[in-house]
Amino acid sequence: MGILPVVQEPAPNSATGIRAVLRAPGAPSLVVSSLIGAIAAGAIGLLLVLHVRELGGSYAFAGIVAGSYTAGLALSAPLVGRAVDRLGQTIVLGVGMVVTAACMLTMALLPASAPDVLLPLLAVGGGLVHPPIGACTRALLPKVIDDEDTLHSAYALESSALEASYIAGPLLIGGLIAPYSTRWGLAACAAVLVLGTGWFITLRPSREWKPDPGTATLPVGGLGALGSPGVRVLLLVLTAFAVSFGAIEVAVTAFATELDRTGATGPLLAAWGLGSLVGGLAMANAKKAPDDPARRLIIVLAVLAAGNLALVLASSSWLLAGLLPLAGLAIAPAFAVVHAMAGVAAKDGTTVEAFAWLGTGVSAGAASGAALAGVAADSGGVGWSFGVAFGGIAVALLLFVSAWPRVQRLAPAAVSAT
């Protein structure tokens, strides 16, 4: 027994953080293919708005079309995730990839004279079956990485990659291709989705992933992943947290408009996303997973609350440009901690569905934040819309602090394993 500490001590040159993830067999391909597949999700909303406008539609109708896609995605994600848990990844992701890409291509080919109802129908159809590649990636990471510290880095790297995809999508497809032709932009979006998802489902970890043997006995109409108290609490926390996403997008747009600098909206939001990317990479490069994930989540939520509160004080575009990266710094780290905790809290056979529920929470929270921030901006000014972002994170922090101790009492073994 006395020699165990010497035997288990890592070699001086052993890889940690991001290097350890990149050296884990199968992990880099999962993260990169997932990143490529997610680029389409990051660009589709902007593309649909631009496409409707190119066809001569109003901004109101463009919002309906883009919102239809998001609504379809949010409503069906848990059901699609449950299908993955029951049927496996290959068939569900493959079918979703083909149908979603077909909807995108059909929207690209519709003439301007086509009935207006077709665009929102195709949009909601594409959203309903959009392949949950991110949820599948998070479910697979513990299968290819058995070291707790490396797994923590992998979740942080995956969160950073997702942030990068949401920056790259609007920049590459919306910024470079769509101005030339939104039809080609939608076609490119479909191609990227097929490239990323198609690569993902050919990878051995995804092909060999099998549903948990106990999944078949779960009642179809049961709570599924929401049967876990931990997953329910994390869903509520992430939904409140995501209110800040929609609120900041609206607040930054209103801020730039008030200063008659609408062209600055994109770069300002990119700065915000860049802050999240940097924070996620920093966490991914950490040598050790947090000893107490719950305490770490409280810290990152508190940092986010402070950063968003500072945005209320911004009086110029330059000051806002400096504050936004700081406000976004802890976003990807917060996602990484939540995903790690959810992966442990989820009941056997419901892991993909649990991650899909978290994605639905993010969509619902962001949509609510955008609506609330719009009302706040109209009634009280831009500062109040930034206040909505702060309020969402403050609620998330209060929810977690008040509810998580009860979860620990109900299922101490599950939460302590994080």
Side-chain angles (χ1 to χ4, degrees), residues 232-273:
R232 292 198 298 269
V233 170
L234 292 172
L235 173 60
L236 291 174
V237 169
L238 205 54
T239 302
F241 167 39
V243 166
S244 66
F245 300 165
I248 285 182
E249 289 181 353
V250 170
V252 169
T253 303
F255 186 94
T257 301
E258 280 195 1
L259 295 179
D260 197 23
R261 300 190 64 179
T262 54
T265 303
L268 286 171
L269 290 174
W272 177 47

PDB file of all heavy atoms in Angstrom, residues 232-273:
ATOM      1  N   ARG A 232     -33.700  17.637 -13.492  1.00  0.00           N
ATOM      2  CA  ARG A 232     -34.751  18.665 -13.429  1.00  0.00           C
ATOM      3  C   ARG A 232     -34.195  19.992 -12.912  1.00  0.00           C
ATOM      4  O   ARG A 232     -34.499  21.057 -13.461  1.00  0.00           O
ATOM      5  CB  ARG A 232     -35.906  18.185 -12.534  1.00  0.00           C
ATOM      6  CG  ARG A 232     -36.691  17.014 -13.096  1.00  0.00           C
ATOM      7  CD  ARG A 232     -38.052  16.887 -12.417  1.00  0.00           C
ATOM      8  NE  ARG A 232     -37.946  16.634 -10.983  1.00  0.00           N
ATOM      9  CZ  ARG A 232     -37.907  15.440 -10.434  1.00  0.00           C
ATOM     10  NH1 ARG A 232     -37.922  14.356 -11.201  1.00  0.00           N
ATOM     11  NH2 ARG A 232     -37.852  15.302  -9.117  1.00  0.00           N
ATOM     12  N   VAL A 233     -33.389  19.938 -11.874  1.00  0.00           N
ATOM     13  CA  VAL A 233     -32.817  21.174 -11.327  1.00  0.00           C
ATOM     14  C   VAL A 233     -31.877  21.822 -12.343  1.00  0.00           C
ATOM     15  O   VAL A 233     -31.939  23.041 -12.574  1.00  0.00           O
ATOM     16  CB  VAL A 233     -32.071  20.883 -10.011  1.00  0.00           C
ATOM     17  CG1 VAL A 233     -31.258  22.107  -9.569  1.00  0.00           C
ATOM     18  CG2 VAL A 233     -33.054  20.500  -8.916  1.00  0.00           C
ATOM     19  N   LEU A 234     -31.017  21.041 -12.961  1.00  0.00           N
ATOM     20  CA  LEU A 234     -30.077  21.600 -13.942  1.00  0.00           C
ATOM     21  C   LEU A 234     -30.814  22.179 -15.147  1.00  0.00           C
ATOM     22  O   LEU A 234     -30.382  23.189 -15.725  1.00  0.00           O
ATOM     23  CB  LEU A 234     -29.091  20.519 -14.385  1.00  0.00           C
ATOM     24  CG  LEU A 234     -28.108  20.052 -13.300  1.00  0.00           C
ATOM     25  CD1 LEU A 234     -27.309  18.848 -13.792  1.00  0.00           C
ATOM     26  CD2 LEU A 234     -27.165  21.188 -12.896  1.00  0.00           C
ATOM     27  N   LEU A 235     -31.929  21.566 -15.535  1.00  0.00           N
ATOM     28  CA  LEU A 235     -32.740  22.110 -16.633  1.00  0.00           C
ATOM     29  C   LEU A 235     -33.287  23.487 -16.263  1.00  0.00           C
ATOM     30  O   LEU A 235     -33.213  24.432 -17.067  1.00  0.00           O
ATOM     31  CB  LEU A 235     -33.883  21.155 -16.958  1.00  0.00           C
ATOM     32  CG  LEU A 235     -34.925  21.651 -17.967  1.00  0.00           C
ATOM     33  CD1 LEU A 235     -34.285  21.953 -19.308  1.00  0.00           C
ATOM     34  CD2 LEU A 235     -36.049  20.617 -18.122  1.00  0.00           C
ATOM     35  N   LEU A 236     -33.830  23.640 -15.067  1.00  0.00           N
ATOM     36  CA  LEU A 236     -34.359  24.932 -14.634  1.00  0.00           C
ATOM     37  C   LEU A 236     -33.249  25.973 -14.555  1.00  0.00           C
ATOM     38  O   LEU A 236     -33.419  27.129 -14.977  1.00  0.00           O
ATOM     39  CB  LEU A 236     -35.044  24.786 -13.274  1.00  0.00           C
ATOM     40  CG  LEU A 236     -36.355  23.985 -13.255  1.00  0.00           C
ATOM     41  CD1 LEU A 236     -36.836  23.801 -11.817  1.00  0.00           C
ATOM     42  CD2 LEU A 236     -37.420  24.687 -14.092  1.00  0.00           C
ATOM     43  N   VAL A 237     -32.111  25.570 -14.023  1.00  0.00           N
ATOM     44  CA  VAL A 237     -30.982  26.494 -13.891  1.00  0.00           C
ATOM     45  C   VAL A 237     -30.510  26.955 -15.263  1.00  0.00           C
ATOM     46  O   VAL A 237     -30.293  28.157 -15.494  1.00  0.00           O
ATOM     47  CB  VAL A 237     -29.831  25.819 -13.118  1.00  0.00           C
ATOM     48  CG1 VAL A 237     -28.548  26.646 -13.211  1.00  0.00           C
ATOM     49  CG2 VAL A 237     -30.216  25.619 -11.658  1.00  0.00           C
ATOM     50  N   LEU A 238     -30.351  26.022 -16.196  1.00  0.00           N
ATOM     51  CA  LEU A 238     -29.854  26.375 -17.522  1.00  0.00           C
ATOM     52  C   LEU A 238     -30.868  27.215 -18.295  1.00  0.00           C
ATOM     53  O   LEU A 238     -30.490  28.108 -19.076  1.00  0.00           O
ATOM     54  CB  LEU A 238     -29.514  25.105 -18.299  1.00  0.00           C
ATOM     55  CG  LEU A 238     -28.466  25.246 -19.406  1.00  0.00           C
ATOM     56  CD1 LEU A 238     -27.189  25.859 -18.860  1.00  0.00           C
ATOM     57  CD2 LEU A 238     -28.170  23.903 -20.039  1.00  0.00           C
ATOM     58  N   THR A 239     -32.159  26.954 -18.087  1.00  0.00           N
ATOM     59  CA  THR A 239     -33.188  27.768 -18.748  1.00  0.00           C
ATOM     60  C   THR A 239     -33.118  29.218 -18.276  1.00  0.00           C
ATOM     61  O   THR A 239     -33.162  30.153 -19.091  1.00  0.00           O
ATOM     62  CB  THR A 239     -34.587  27.188 -18.470  1.00  0.00           C
ATOM     63  OG1 THR A 239     -34.643  25.830 -18.930  1.00  0.00           O
ATOM     64  CG2 THR A 239     -35.664  27.996 -19.176  1.00  0.00           C
ATOM     65  N   ALA A 240     -33.012  29.406 -16.965  1.00  0.00           N
ATOM     66  CA  ALA A 240     -32.890  30.769 -16.429  1.00  0.00           C
ATOM     67  C   ALA A 240     -31.601  31.416 -16.895  1.00  0.00           C
ATOM     68  O   ALA A 240     -31.567  32.611 -17.263  1.00  0.00           O
ATOM     69  CB  ALA A 240     -32.958  30.731 -14.898  1.00  0.00           C
ATOM     70  N   PHE A 241     -30.530  30.657 -16.895  1.00  0.00           N
ATOM     71  CA  PHE A 241     -29.229  31.154 -17.344  1.00  0.00           C
ATOM     72  C   PHE A 241     -29.298  31.623 -18.793  1.00  0.00           C
ATOM     73  O   PHE A 241     -28.750  32.668 -19.167  1.00  0.00           O
ATOM     74  CB  PHE A 241     -28.217  30.018 -17.151  1.00  0.00           C
ATOM     75  CG  PHE A 241     -26.895  30.185 -17.818  1.00  0.00           C
ATOM     76  CD1 PHE A 241     -26.257  31.412 -17.882  1.00  0.00           C
ATOM     77  CD2 PHE A 241     -26.245  29.085 -18.358  1.00  0.00           C
ATOM     78  CE1 PHE A 241     -25.017  31.548 -18.482  1.00  0.00           C
ATOM     79  CE2 PHE A 241     -25.005  29.206 -18.957  1.00  0.00           C
ATOM     80  CZ  PHE A 241     -24.394  30.448 -19.026  1.00  0.00           C
ATOM     81  N   ALA A 242     -30.001  30.857 -19.647  1.00  0.00           N
ATOM     82  CA  ALA A 242     -30.073  31.169 -21.073  1.00  0.00           C
ATOM     83  C   ALA A 242     -30.917  32.398 -21.371  1.00  0.00           C
ATOM     84  O   ALA A 242     -30.860  32.928 -22.483  1.00  0.00           O
ATOM     85  CB  ALA A 242     -30.619  29.971 -21.839  1.00  0.00           C
ATOM     86  N   VAL A 243     -31.705  32.870 -20.397  1.00  0.00           N
ATOM     87  CA  VAL A 243     -32.429  34.128 -20.588  1.00  0.00           C
ATOM     88  C   VAL A 243     -31.453  35.238 -20.968  1.00  0.00           C
ATOM     89  O   VAL A 243     -31.765  36.120 -21.783  1.00  0.00           O
ATOM     90  CB  VAL A 243     -33.208  34.501 -19.307  1.00  0.00           C
ATOM     91  CG1 VAL A 243     -33.690  35.950 -19.354  1.00  0.00           C
ATOM     92  CG2 VAL A 243     -34.399  33.562 -19.126  1.00  0.00           C
ATOM     93  N   SER A 244     -30.252  35.186 -20.410  1.00  0.00           N
ATOM     94  CA  SER A 244     -29.259  36.218 -20.700  1.00  0.00           C
ATOM     95  C   SER A 244     -28.829  36.203 -22.159  1.00  0.00           C
ATOM     96  O   SER A 244     -28.452  37.242 -22.712  1.00  0.00           O
ATOM     97  CB  SER A 244     -28.033  36.039 -19.796  1.00  0.00           C
ATOM     98  OG  SER A 244     -27.347  34.843 -20.093  1.00  0.00           O
ATOM     99  N   PHE A 245     -28.873  35.035 -22.827  1.00  0.00           N
ATOM    100  CA  PHE A 245     -28.441  34.965 -24.223  1.00  0.00           C
ATOM    101  C   PHE A 245     -29.338  35.814 -25.126  1.00  0.00           C
ATOM    102  O   PHE A 245     -28.864  36.672 -25.873  1.00  0.00           O
ATOM    103  CB  PHE A 245     -28.446  33.516 -24.718  1.00  0.00           C
ATOM    104  CG  PHE A 245     -27.545  32.589 -23.953  1.00  0.00           C
ATOM    105  CD1 PHE A 245     -27.667  31.224 -24.075  1.00  0.00           C
ATOM    106  CD2 PHE A 245     -26.572  33.086 -23.103  1.00  0.00           C
ATOM    107  CE1 PHE A 245     -26.838  30.364 -23.375  1.00  0.00           C
ATOM    108  CE2 PHE A 245     -25.730  32.241 -22.402  1.00  0.00           C
ATOM    109  CZ  PHE A 245     -25.875  30.878 -22.533  1.00  0.00           C
ATOM    110  N   GLY A 246     -30.643  35.533 -25.048  1.00  0.00           N
ATOM    111  CA  GLY A 246     -31.573  36.302 -25.873  1.00  0.00           C
ATOM    112  C   GLY A 246     -31.593  37.763 -25.483  1.00  0.00           C
ATOM    113  O   GLY A 246     -31.701  38.651 -26.354  1.00  0.00           O
ATOM    114  N   ALA A 247     -31.484  38.049 -24.187  1.00  0.00           N
ATOM    115  CA  ALA A 247     -31.522  39.424 -23.722  1.00  0.00           C
ATOM    116  C   ALA A 247     -30.337  40.220 -24.242  1.00  0.00           C
ATOM    117  O   ALA A 247     -30.481  41.382 -24.675  1.00  0.00           O
ATOM    118  CB  ALA A 247     -31.556  39.458 -22.196  1.00  0.00           C
ATOM    119  N   ILE A 248     -29.151  39.640 -24.203  1.00  0.00           N
ATOM    120  CA  ILE A 248     -27.963  40.361 -24.659  1.00  0.00           C
ATOM    121  C   ILE A 248     -28.011  40.593 -26.163  1.00  0.00           C
ATOM    122  O   ILE A 248     -27.617  41.665 -26.654  1.00  0.00           O
ATOM    123  CB  ILE A 248     -26.687  39.607 -24.245  1.00  0.00           C
ATOM    124  CG1 ILE A 248     -26.447  39.810 -22.744  1.00  0.00           C
ATOM    125  CG2 ILE A 248     -25.477  40.073 -25.042  1.00  0.00           C
ATOM    126  CD1 ILE A 248     -25.203  39.166 -22.208  1.00  0.00           C
ATOM    127  N   GLU A 249     -28.497  39.632 -26.927  1.00  0.00           N
ATOM    128  CA  GLU A 249     -28.606  39.838 -28.374  1.00  0.00           C
ATOM    129  C   GLU A 249     -29.510  41.026 -28.684  1.00  0.00           C
ATOM    130  O   GLU A 249     -29.191  41.866 -29.536  1.00  0.00           O
ATOM    131  CB  GLU A 249     -29.139  38.572 -29.036  1.00  0.00           C
ATOM    132  CG  GLU A 249     -28.135  37.431 -29.060  1.00  0.00           C
ATOM    133  CD  GLU A 249     -28.669  36.199 -29.743  1.00  0.00           C
ATOM    134  OE1 GLU A 249     -29.873  36.195 -30.086  1.00  0.00           O
ATOM    135  OE2 GLU A 249     -27.904  35.242 -29.939  1.00  0.00           O
ATOM    136  N   VAL A 250     -30.639  41.114 -27.988  1.00  0.00           N
ATOM    137  CA  VAL A 250     -31.558  42.237 -28.207  1.00  0.00           C
ATOM    138  C   VAL A 250     -30.952  43.530 -27.673  1.00  0.00           C
ATOM    139  O   VAL A 250     -31.007  44.576 -28.328  1.00  0.00           O
ATOM    140  CB  VAL A 250     -32.913  41.964 -27.527  1.00  0.00           C
ATOM    141  CG1 VAL A 250     -33.793  43.209 -27.539  1.00  0.00           C
ATOM    142  CG2 VAL A 250     -33.624  40.815 -28.226  1.00  0.00           C
ATOM    143  N   ALA A 251     -30.350  43.465 -26.491  1.00  0.00           N
ATOM    144  CA  ALA A 251     -29.798  44.668 -25.866  1.00  0.00           C
ATOM    145  C   ALA A 251     -28.662  45.263 -26.698  1.00  0.00           C
ATOM    146  O   ALA A 251     -28.573  46.483 -26.864  1.00  0.00           O
ATOM    147  CB  ALA A 251     -29.305  44.342 -24.461  1.00  0.00           C
ATOM    148  N   VAL A 252     -27.780  44.406 -27.212  1.00  0.00           N
ATOM    149  CA  VAL A 252     -26.669  44.897 -28.035  1.00  0.00           C
ATOM    150  C   VAL A 252     -27.193  45.520 -29.318  1.00  0.00           C
ATOM    151  O   VAL A 252     -26.711  46.574 -29.763  1.00  0.00           O
ATOM    152  CB  VAL A 252     -25.688  43.747 -28.341  1.00  0.00           C
ATOM    153  CG1 VAL A 252     -24.685  44.165 -29.414  1.00  0.00           C
ATOM    154  CG2 VAL A 252     -24.943  43.338 -27.071  1.00  0.00           C
ATOM    155  N   THR A 253     -28.193  44.883 -29.920  1.00  0.00           N
ATOM    156  CA  THR A 253     -28.791  45.450 -31.139  1.00  0.00           C
ATOM    157  C   THR A 253     -29.408  46.812 -30.849  1.00  0.00           C
ATOM    158  O   THR A 253     -29.214  47.777 -31.614  1.00  0.00           O
ATOM    159  CB  THR A 253     -29.865  44.497 -31.694  1.00  0.00           C
ATOM    160  OG1 THR A 253     -29.277  43.221 -31.948  1.00  0.00           O
ATOM    161  CG2 THR A 253     -30.463  45.051 -32.977  1.00  0.00           C
ATOM    162  N   ALA A 254     -30.152  46.924 -29.743  1.00  0.00           N
ATOM    163  CA  ALA A 254     -30.769  48.204 -29.377  1.00  0.00           C
ATOM    164  C   ALA A 254     -29.712  49.247 -29.048  1.00  0.00           C
ATOM    165  O   ALA A 254     -29.848  50.427 -29.408  1.00  0.00           O
ATOM    166  CB  ALA A 254     -31.694  47.989 -28.170  1.00  0.00           C
ATOM    167  N   PHE A 255     -28.646  48.843 -28.381  1.00  0.00           N
ATOM    168  CA  PHE A 255     -27.563  49.753 -28.022  1.00  0.00           C
ATOM    169  C   PHE A 255     -26.915  50.345 -29.277  1.00  0.00           C
ATOM    170  O   PHE A 255     -26.716  51.560 -29.392  1.00  0.00           O
ATOM    171  CB  PHE A 255     -26.517  48.995 -27.191  1.00  0.00           C
ATOM    172  CG  PHE A 255     -25.419  49.846 -26.641  1.00  0.00           C
ATOM    173  CD1 PHE A 255     -25.513  50.379 -25.359  1.00  0.00           C
ATOM    174  CD2 PHE A 255     -24.281  50.108 -27.384  1.00  0.00           C
ATOM    175  CE1 PHE A 255     -24.494  51.165 -24.837  1.00  0.00           C
ATOM    176  CE2 PHE A 255     -23.261  50.882 -26.876  1.00  0.00           C
ATOM    177  CZ  PHE A 255     -23.358  51.420 -25.600  1.00  0.00           C
ATOM    178  N   ALA A 256     -26.580  49.459 -30.241  1.00  0.00           N
ATOM    179  CA  ALA A 256     -25.948  49.926 -31.472  1.00  0.00           C
ATOM    180  C   ALA A 256     -26.889  50.806 -32.284  1.00  0.00           C
ATOM    181  O   ALA A 256     -26.465  51.798 -32.899  1.00  0.00           O
ATOM    182  CB  ALA A 256     -25.498  48.723 -32.298  1.00  0.00           C
ATOM    183  N   THR A 257     -28.175  50.486 -32.269  1.00  0.00           N
ATOM    184  CA  THR A 257     -29.150  51.289 -33.010  1.00  0.00           C
ATOM    185  C   THR A 257     -29.281  52.680 -32.417  1.00  0.00           C
ATOM    186  O   THR A 257     -29.348  53.677 -33.153  1.00  0.00           O
ATOM    187  CB  THR A 257     -30.520  50.582 -33.007  1.00  0.00           C
ATOM    188  OG1 THR A 257     -30.392  49.284 -33.599  1.00  0.00           O
ATOM    189  CG2 THR A 257     -31.542  51.388 -33.791  1.00  0.00           C
ATOM    190  N   GLU A 258     -29.305  52.764 -31.090  1.00  0.00           N
ATOM    191  CA  GLU A 258     -29.401  54.073 -30.436  1.00  0.00           C
ATOM    192  C   GLU A 258     -28.219  54.970 -30.778  1.00  0.00           C
ATOM    193  O   GLU A 258     -28.351  56.190 -30.871  1.00  0.00           O
ATOM    194  CB  GLU A 258     -29.499  53.901 -28.919  1.00  0.00           C
ATOM    195  CG  GLU A 258     -30.893  53.550 -28.429  1.00  0.00           C
ATOM    196  CD  GLU A 258     -31.023  53.755 -26.930  1.00  0.00           C
ATOM    197  OE1 GLU A 258     -30.037  54.189 -26.291  1.00  0.00           O
ATOM    198  OE2 GLU A 258     -32.120  53.495 -26.401  1.00  0.00           O
ATOM    199  N   LEU A 259     -27.055  54.365 -30.943  1.00  0.00           N
ATOM    200  CA  LEU A 259     -25.854  55.137 -31.281  1.00  0.00           C
ATOM    201  C   LEU A 259     -25.701  55.308 -32.790  1.00  0.00           C
ATOM    202  O   LEU A 259     -24.686  55.860 -33.244  1.00  0.00           O
ATOM    203  CB  LEU A 259     -24.609  54.443 -30.720  1.00  0.00           C
ATOM    204  CG  LEU A 259     -24.498  54.345 -29.191  1.00  0.00           C
ATOM    205  CD1 LEU A 259     -23.229  53.606 -28.807  1.00  0.00           C
ATOM    206  CD2 LEU A 259     -24.529  55.735 -28.566  1.00  0.00           C
ATOM    207  N   ASP A 260     -26.694  54.827 -33.548  1.00  0.00           N
ATOM    208  CA  ASP A 260     -26.662  54.902 -35.010  1.00  0.00           C
ATOM    209  C   ASP A 260     -25.436  54.168 -35.567  1.00  0.00           C
ATOM    210  O   ASP A 260     -24.798  54.629 -36.514  1.00  0.00           O
ATOM    211  CB  ASP A 260     -26.659  56.358 -35.486  1.00  0.00           C
ATOM    212  CG  ASP A 260     -27.053  56.480 -36.960  1.00  0.00           C
ATOM    213  OD1 ASP A 260     -27.725  55.560 -37.464  1.00  0.00           O
ATOM    214  OD2 ASP A 260     -26.664  57.479 -37.602  1.00  0.00           O
ATOM    215  N   ARG A 261     -25.137  53.038 -34.936  1.00  0.00           N
ATOM    216  CA  ARG A 261     -23.999  52.230 -35.378  1.00  0.00           C
ATOM    217  C   ARG A 261     -24.450  50.769 -35.477  1.00  0.00           C
ATOM    218  O   ARG A 261     -23.882  49.883 -34.861  1.00  0.00           O
ATOM    219  CB  ARG A 261     -22.826  52.355 -34.404  1.00  0.00           C
ATOM    220  CG  ARG A 261     -22.307  53.782 -34.255  1.00  0.00           C
ATOM    221  CD  ARG A 261     -21.005  53.820 -33.467  1.00  0.00           C
ATOM    222  NE  ARG A 261     -19.936  53.127 -34.164  1.00  0.00           N
ATOM    223  CZ  ARG A 261     -18.685  53.040 -33.699  1.00  0.00           C
ATOM    224  NH1 ARG A 261     -18.367  53.606 -32.539  1.00  0.00           N
ATOM    225  NH2 ARG A 261     -17.762  52.393 -34.380  1.00  0.00           N
ATOM    226  N   THR A 262     -25.485  50.541 -36.270  1.00  0.00           N
ATOM    227  CA  THR A 262     -26.039  49.187 -36.373  1.00  0.00           C
ATOM    228  C   THR A 262     -25.020  48.202 -36.925  1.00  0.00           C
ATOM    229  O   THR A 262     -25.094  47.002 -36.635  1.00  0.00           O
ATOM    230  CB  THR A 262     -27.284  49.189 -37.276  1.00  0.00           C
ATOM    231  OG1 THR A 262     -26.952  49.785 -38.541  1.00  0.00           O
ATOM    232  CG2 THR A 262     -28.407  49.986 -36.638  1.00  0.00           C
ATOM    233  N   GLY A 263     -24.056  48.687 -37.712  1.00  0.00           N
ATOM    234  CA  GLY A 263     -23.030  47.803 -38.253  1.00  0.00           C
ATOM    235  C   GLY A 263     -22.139  47.204 -37.184  1.00  0.00           C
ATOM    236  O   GLY A 263     -21.433  46.220 -37.431  1.00  0.00           O
ATOM    237  N   ALA A 264     -22.166  47.799 -35.994  1.00  0.00           N
ATOM    238  CA  ALA A 264     -21.320  47.291 -34.901  1.00  0.00           C
ATOM    239  C   ALA A 264     -21.960  46.122 -34.170  1.00  0.00           C
ATOM    240  O   ALA A 264     -21.298  45.476 -33.345  1.00  0.00           O
ATOM    241  CB  ALA A 264     -21.033  48.416 -33.903  1.00  0.00           C
ATOM    242  N   THR A 265     -23.228  45.817 -34.469  1.00  0.00           N
ATOM    243  CA  THR A 265     -23.921  44.755 -33.741  1.00  0.00           C
ATOM    244  C   THR A 265     -23.202  43.419 -33.869  1.00  0.00           C
ATOM    245  O   THR A 265     -22.949  42.734 -32.865  1.00  0.00           O
ATOM    246  CB  THR A 265     -25.367  44.612 -34.258  1.00  0.00           C
ATOM    247  OG1 THR A 265     -26.038  45.865 -34.121  1.00  0.00           O
ATOM    248  CG2 THR A 265     -26.108  43.551 -33.464  1.00  0.00           C
ATOM    249  N   GLY A 266     -22.866  43.042 -35.098  1.00  0.00           N
ATOM    250  CA  GLY A 266     -22.193  41.761 -35.322  1.00  0.00           C
ATOM    251  C   GLY A 266     -20.856  41.659 -34.603  1.00  0.00           C
ATOM    252  O   GLY A 266     -20.609  40.686 -33.873  1.00  0.00           O
ATOM    253  N   PRO A 267     -19.957  42.639 -34.783  1.00  0.00           N
ATOM    254  CA  PRO A 267     -18.671  42.571 -34.080  1.00  0.00           C
ATOM    255  C   PRO A 267     -18.818  42.571 -32.564  1.00  0.00           C
ATOM    256  O   PRO A 267     -18.057  41.897 -31.863  1.00  0.00           O
ATOM    257  CB  PRO A 267     -17.952  43.843 -34.562  1.00  0.00           C
ATOM    258  CG  PRO A 267     -18.524  44.109 -35.909  1.00  0.00           C
ATOM    259  CD  PRO A 267     -19.962  43.708 -35.802  1.00  0.00           C
ATOM    260  N   LEU A 268     -19.790  43.301 -32.030  1.00  0.00           N
ATOM    261  CA  LEU A 268     -19.980  43.321 -30.580  1.00  0.00           C
ATOM    262  C   LEU A 268     -20.418  41.951 -30.068  1.00  0.00           C
ATOM    263  O   LEU A 268     -19.904  41.458 -29.057  1.00  0.00           O
ATOM    264  CB  LEU A 268     -21.020  44.377 -30.197  1.00  0.00           C
ATOM    265  CG  LEU A 268     -20.563  45.834 -30.283  1.00  0.00           C
ATOM    266  CD1 LEU A 268     -21.737  46.781 -30.086  1.00  0.00           C
ATOM    267  CD2 LEU A 268     -19.475  46.127 -29.252  1.00  0.00           C
ATOM    268  N   LEU A 269     -21.350  41.328 -30.767  1.00  0.00           N
ATOM    269  CA  LEU A 269     -21.789  39.992 -30.356  1.00  0.00           C
ATOM    270  C   LEU A 269     -20.670  38.966 -30.539  1.00  0.00           C
ATOM    271  O   LEU A 269     -20.541  38.019 -29.743  1.00  0.00           O
ATOM    272  CB  LEU A 269     -23.028  39.576 -31.148  1.00  0.00           C
ATOM    273  CG  LEU A 269     -24.314  40.343 -30.819  1.00  0.00           C
ATOM    274  CD1 LEU A 269     -25.433  39.943 -31.767  1.00  0.00           C
ATOM    275  CD2 LEU A 269     -24.736  40.087 -29.373  1.00  0.00           C
ATOM    276  N   ALA A 270     -19.830  39.168 -31.574  1.00  0.00           N
ATOM    277  CA  ALA A 270     -18.696  38.274 -31.769  1.00  0.00           C
ATOM    278  C   ALA A 270     -17.707  38.399 -30.614  1.00  0.00           C
ATOM    279  O   ALA A 270     -17.112  37.403 -30.173  1.00  0.00           O
ATOM    280  CB  ALA A 270     -18.011  38.574 -33.094  1.00  0.00           C
ATOM    281  N   ALA A 271     -17.522  39.624 -30.112  1.00  0.00           N
ATOM    282  CA  ALA A 271     -16.632  39.829 -28.965  1.00  0.00           C
ATOM    283  C   ALA A 271     -17.155  39.097 -27.732  1.00  0.00           C
ATOM    284  O   ALA A 271     -16.380  38.530 -26.948  1.00  0.00           O
ATOM    285  CB  ALA A 271     -16.495  41.324 -28.684  1.00  0.00           C
ATOM    286  N   TRP A 272     -18.450  39.127 -27.564  1.00  0.00           N
ATOM    287  CA  TRP A 272     -19.094  38.405 -26.452  1.00  0.00           C
ATOM    288  C   TRP A 272     -18.846  36.902 -26.583  1.00  0.00           C
ATOM    289  O   TRP A 272     -18.443  36.233 -25.624  1.00  0.00           O
ATOM    290  CB  TRP A 272     -20.584  38.724 -26.481  1.00  0.00           C
ATOM    291  CG  TRP A 272     -21.449  38.049 -25.473  1.00  0.00           C
ATOM    292  CD1 TRP A 272     -21.223  37.929 -24.127  1.00  0.00           C
ATOM    293  CD2 TRP A 272     -22.710  37.416 -25.726  1.00  0.00           C
ATOM    294  NE1 TRP A 272     -22.273  37.269 -23.531  1.00  0.00           N
ATOM    295  CE2 TRP A 272     -23.193  36.951 -24.491  1.00  0.00           C
ATOM    296  CE3 TRP A 272     -23.474  37.226 -26.870  1.00  0.00           C
ATOM    297  CZ2 TRP A 272     -24.411  36.284 -24.372  1.00  0.00           C
ATOM    298  CZ3 TRP A 272     -24.686  36.563 -26.756  1.00  0.00           C
ATOM    299  CH2 TRP A 272     -25.137  36.100 -25.515  1.00  0.00           C
ATOM    300  N   GLY A 273     -19.054  36.362 -27.779  1.00  0.00           N
ATOM    301  CA  GLY A 273     -18.806  34.946 -28.012  1.00  0.00           C
ATOM    302  C   GLY A 273     -17.334  34.585 -27.870  1.00  0.00           C
ATOM    303  O   GLY A 273     -16.997  33.498 -27.384  1.00  0.00           O
TER     304      GLY A 273
END
